[in-house]
Amino acid sequence: MLLSFSRSFTVCHVTMYSVNNWFALITVWTAMAIEFSGILHICYIVQRSVGWMAGQPIESREPPKNIYQNLFFYGRCAMSLALLCLSFAVTFVAIFERKTTVWESVPPAASVVIFFLLMGCIGILEGSQIAYFAVVKMQKSEQGQDGSMGYFAKKSARILFSNNNHNLAAFLVGRQLCVVSCMFFIARITAVKLEPDDDNIFGVPDWMQSIFNTGLLGAVIVAVVASVSWRLLASAFPIVFFKNPLAYVFLRLCLILEMTGILHGAWVIA
C-alpha cells in the first residue's frame, strides 16, 4: 500500500516523471493486452448505455469500425457478459450454500447486501479519483469554486485544489485505505472454500472447481461492477461525480483517514 500511495503522490505533482520510464511502458503494454482479451469489455456497454439513457451518447475518437471490427468488439462484449454472469452465479451459490470464507456468524443474505454496499463504496471512490484528476486540469472558472455548479462542487473544489493540490494527494491516501479495506471484506465474502466432503459447485470437474477456488471470479465481479465501469463513467461525465454529494462525503472521510497518520510513511517515500 505504501508503494501505491507514493506513486499516486508522484503522479499528482510530477506526471511526466511517472510515465517516462520502462516500468510505466511495460505496465501500459500489459494493461492493453488485458483490455484486448475482452474480459472486461462489458464495461464499454455499461458506459454507452448510461450515456444513452442520460441523453449524452459517448462519442468515440476512433475512426468508424467496419463490420468485422464490430463483430470482434461485440463478440468480446458477449464473452465478457457471459463471464460476469458465471462469476455472479458461482459466487451467489457459494454464499448461500456457505462455501465461502465469510465468518459463520454472518447470514448469507447479509453477506450479499454487504457485498453490494462495499462495491458501491469502491465505485464511488474509483469514479471520484478519475473525476478529480479531470477537473484539476480545468480552469478555476470551470471548477465550480464560485458555486456555479452547486454547493458540493464548490466545497470539493476549495478543499481539493488549495495549497498546490496537497489535499488531492491526501485524498489518495484515505481513498486507497478505504478501497483496500473494502477489498479485504469482499474477498472474505466471495472467496470459495470447500470442505473435503462438499460437492463441487454446479457439479463441475475438479480442475474447474480449482479455478473457482482461486477467487478469480470474485475479482472479475469487483473489476467490472466496482471499478472499471465507474472509472469509464467518470471519465465520460467527470462533473457529475465532482458535484455528487456522496463523492463529497467520501472525500471528507478519506481526508479524515489520512489525518490519522496511519499511512504517513507514504509521504516519506514519495
Side-chain angles (χ1 to χ4, degrees):
M1 286 196 297
L2 290 177
L3 290 176
S4 176
F5 299 151
S6 62
R7 295 304 296 168
S8 298
F9 300 152
T10 305
V11 170
C12 284
H13 301 291
V14 194
T15 304
M16 288 306 298
Y17 172 80
S18 301
V19 299
N20 189 27
N21 57 75
W22 278 103
F23 293 107
L25 182 60
I26 293 171
T27 300
V28 170
W29 286 342
T30 304
M32 291 180 67
I34 295 172
E35 191 277 339
F36 182 78
S37 71
I39 294 173
L40 303 176
H41 263 47
I42 188 60
C43 297
Y44 291 122
I45 302 301
V46 173
Q47 182 195 37
R48 295 182 181 186
S49 300
V50 173
W52 178 77
M53 288 187 292
Q56 301 179 40
I58 306 298
E59 297 181 2
S60 175
R61 297 181 181 180
E62 298 179 350
K65 295 182 176 68
N66 59 39
I67 184 171
Y68 300 107
Q69 290 172 325
N70 276 324
L71 284 174
F72 185 51
F73 174 77
Y74 287 107
R76 286 181 292 173
C77 290
M79 181 269 291
S80 178
L81 176 60
L83 179 59
L84 180 63
C85 291
L86 173 65
S87 300
F88 268 117
V90 171
T91 300
F92 283 166
V93 168
I95 289 174
F96 283 102
E97 292 184 357
R98 293 188 176 275
K99 294 180 179 179
T100 67
T101 57
V102 72
W103 298 275
E104 290 292 336
S105 58
V106 181
S111 296
V112 173
V113 172
I114 295 171
F115 179 38
F116 280 101
L117 285 176
L118 292 178
M119 286 200 297
C121 293
I122 294 174
I124 294 173
L125 291 167
E126 295 280 8
S128 297
Q129 180 186 13
I130 300 299
Y132 294 158
F133 276 107
V135 174
V136 75
K137 300 176 184 177
M138 299 178 180
Q139 300 292 330
K140 287 189 176 182
S141 58
E142 301 174 322
Q143 292 176 344
Q145 295 191 32
D146 57 356
S148 59
M149 292 193 299
Y151 173 81
F152 293 105
K154 177 181 177 180
K155 295 291 289 184
S156 297
R158 291 188 174 181
I159 291 172
L160 285 168
F161 308 135
S162 60
N163 193 19
N164 193 29
N165 298 339
H166 171 81
N167 283 342
L168 178 58
F171 161 76
L172 295 177
V173 176
R175 171 204 165 275
Q176 193 70 20
L177 185 57
C178 282
V179 170
V180 170
S181 300
C182 291
M183 291 289 192
F184 169 77
F185 287 106
I186 287 176
R188 293 284 305 197
I189 293 172
T190 61
V192 178
K193 181 181 179 181
L194 299 185
E195 299 297 333
D197 56 343
D198 286 340
D199 295 330
N200 291 348
I201 296 176
F202 297 135
V204 299
D206 290 340
W207 66 267
M208 185 173 290
Q209 183 61 51
S210 65
I211 296 176
F212 294 168
N213 295 344
T214 63
L216 287 176
L217 297 184
V220 169
I221 296 174
V222 174
V224 173
V225 180
S227 181
V228 180
S229 295
W230 292 80
R231 284 176 171 266
L232 289 174
L233 290 174
S235 66
F237 309 106
I239 299 301
V240 174
F241 276 85
F242 190 66
K243 62 183 182 181
N244 190 292
L246 283 177
Y248 175 74
V249 171
F250 277 96
L251 169 61
R252 285 290 195 180
L253 173 62
C254 291
L255 292 177
I256 291 172
L257 289 175
E258 188 277 337
M259 189 173 60
T260 62
I262 297 174
L263 295 168
H264 271 201
W267 293 100
V268 178
I269 298 174

